[in-house]
Amino acid sequence: MSNKQRLVLSIIDFLNQSIEDGTVKQDDKESLEVAVQCIGEAFGVDPADKAQADRLSVKPANLLSIFDVFLKTKDKLASPPAAGASASTSTSSPKTPSASDKAAAENYKATGNSHMSTKKYDDAIKAYTQAIALDATNAVYFSNRAAAYSSKGEHPSAVLDAEKAIEVDPAFVKAYHRLGHAHYSLGDYKEAASAFRRGLEVDPNNASLKSGLQNAEARIVPEDDIYDDMPPLEPAPARGVAGAGASGPGAGDMAEMLRNMGMGGDAEGPGGAAGAGGMPDLSSFMNNPMMMQMAQQMMANGGLERLMQNPSLANMMNRMQSGGGMPSMSELMSDPSLRDIASQFGGAGGAGGR
């Protein structure tokens, strides 16, 4: 599933929302609607396709909330954190907390846990943030705040805190579960599966991580599946089919083919070959697709061996060796035994197709 298509759908949703809530002027709505249509067609995204929209949606997050998280992260990375501010995205090494700081941080954590039990998620986030400000070396505080963010639907923020918890303590298994859950809730099943796998590398027997990985992998849509709705290619019709159930050229097609190769007996053919009938040109014989197809089919199904045992063929060969030449097409078709040879030759493909 393409992350670019996820972004495009988020942009389209943002533009449509801007049209509906009056963000843009009335005069600009028509132009914006055209832009939405062009963007969707260019990237193969159709918001009206519910199945596709469900796969690509990042809800409950939206483009604005994701961008807001980015700006906050960028600002925190650009300037040192103020006292008491969240250290969730700071790249500097956290200071070593004193014993009193650790004790106070634990109290804030307990307060946050209490707020979580009563579903006061904003208050819980504030309490965990205060704990982090006092002790940024404890991965539990980041992980708990990630859980609070996910509980109120702010999954992009949960991703940041879960990643920070893993950075602080790569052995803290619960952080991988928080990260996987946040990605899963955003619909990014590949990243969710990756997070669960990372956790299983730390704790291979963790049942929650195994369950999360199984659920995420079940939702991953292979890229090739975007072509599943295309109609199957129709097979090319068989050439030279004659008669019910035949899969190779019939006697009528055989006669026409031999005429084209200079063996016709009723009309003058190319190069002056006339009614007496003559041996066809070898290059024409070998380059004829129908002839080569029949020869291959006869060799594969034993038809060639049966043909060589036919008495009529022996008589025809004796006639040629004695100077009588090849039979004309009229002779071939009027003699039941020779016509049988043509039928065997033309029906070789049908015999093998049962």
Side-chain angles (χ1 to χ4, degrees):
M1 189 180 297
S2 171
N3 284 334
K4 289 184 179 180
Q5 286 185 311
R6 289 181 182 278
L7 176 60
V8 169
L9 180 62
S10 297
I11 292 173
I12 290 176
D13 286 343
F14 168 73
L15 295 178
N16 284 332
Q17 182 62 36
S18 298
I19 293 173
E20 294 173 3
D21 63 17
T23 301
V24 298
K25 296 183 294 185
Q26 185 67 33
D27 294 342
D28 296 328
K29 286 187 177 181
E30 184 175 349
S31 298
L32 206 57
E33 289 170 349
V34 173
V36 166
Q37 183 177 357
C38 292
I39 292 172
E41 290 177 353
F43 288 90
V45 175
D46 181 9
D49 184 341
K50 188 176 184 305
Q52 185 190 50
D54 289 342
R55 291 198 305 269
L56 300 178
S57 176
V58 298
K59 293 179 179 178
N62 57 48
L63 190 62
L64 278 179
S65 67
I66 295 173
F67 188 61
D68 183 57
V69 171
F70 165 76
L71 290 179
K72 289 179 179 178
T73 303
K74 181 173 179 292
D75 291 342
K76 289 177 181 178
L77 290 174
S79 59
S86 168
S88 65
T89 56
S90 174
T91 57
S92 61
S93 299
K95 67 176 184 177
T96 301
S98 65
S100 60
D101 285 340
K102 286 187 175 183
E106 281 295 304
N107 288 333
Y108 281 122
K109 185 193 78 169
T111 300
N113 292 348
S114 177
H115 288 313
M116 285 290 290
S117 64
T118 57
K119 298 184 179 181
K120 296 179 180 179
Y121 304 125
D122 288 329
D123 291 336
I125 290 170
K126 290 178 182 178
Y128 295 136
T129 300
Q130 289 174 310
I132 291 169
L134 291 171
D135 183 5
T137 65
N138 193 325
V140 174
Y141 304 153
F142 292 101
S143 177
N144 284 10
R145 193 170 67 175
Y149 276 127
S150 281
S151 295
K152 63 176 296 188
E154 293 185 13
H155 301 295
S157 296
V159 168
L160 292 175
D161 268 351
E163 288 283 15
K164 184 62 180 178
I166 294 170
E167 178 187 330
V168 171
D169 183 2
F172 185 57
V173 175
K174 187 173 288 187
Y176 295 99
H177 192 277
R178 305 282 195 216
L179 181 61
H181 172 73
H183 280 304
Y184 188 95
S185 299
L186 289 170
D188 194 345
Y189 305 118
K190 286 184 179 180
E191 286 298 323
S194 175
F196 292 129
R197 288 193 197 98
R198 288 165 61 191
L200 286 170
E201 290 176 3
V202 178
D203 183 2
N205 297 318
N206 189 288
S208 295
L209 292 173
K210 287 182 178 180
S211 176
L213 177 60
Q214 184 178 8
N215 291 335
E217 288 182 333
R219 299 295 298 274
I220 294 175
V221 179
E223 295 289 348
D224 290 345
D225 283 4
I226 61 176
Y227 301 105
D228 284 352
D229 294 334
M230 294 179 64
L233 295 175
E234 292 293 335
R239 298 182 59 185
V241 174
S247 62
D253 291 329
M254 182 67 175
E256 179 63 26
M257 180 185 69
L258 294 176
R259 287 193 187 98
N260 292 336
M261 292 169 59
M263 294 178 62
D266 299 322
E268 185 164 319
M279 180 65 72
D281 178 63
L282 184 59
S283 62
S284 300
F285 190 93
M286 298 301 295
N287 290 329
N288 188 286
M290 186 182 298
M291 180 63 72
M292 295 304 296
Q293 177 187 1
M294 286 191 297
Q296 292 171 359
Q297 290 171 339
M298 292 175 69
M299 291 177 66
N301 61 27
L304 185 60
E305 182 179 355
R306 293 193 301 272
L307 184 62
M308 296 304 295
Q309 295 173 353
N310 192 300
S312 299
L313 178 62
N315 293 335
M316 185 173 69
M317 297 301 294
N318 289 333
R319 172 180 170 179
M320 292 172 59
Q321 289 177 354
S322 62
M326 284 285 291
S328 67
M329 185 56 61
S330 60
E331 291 177 296
L332 184 64
M333 293 294 105
S334 62
D335 188 319
S337 61
L338 295 180
R339 187 169 63 247
D340 182 59
I341 294 176
S343 299
Q344 291 183 50
F345 210 95
R354 294 172 186 164

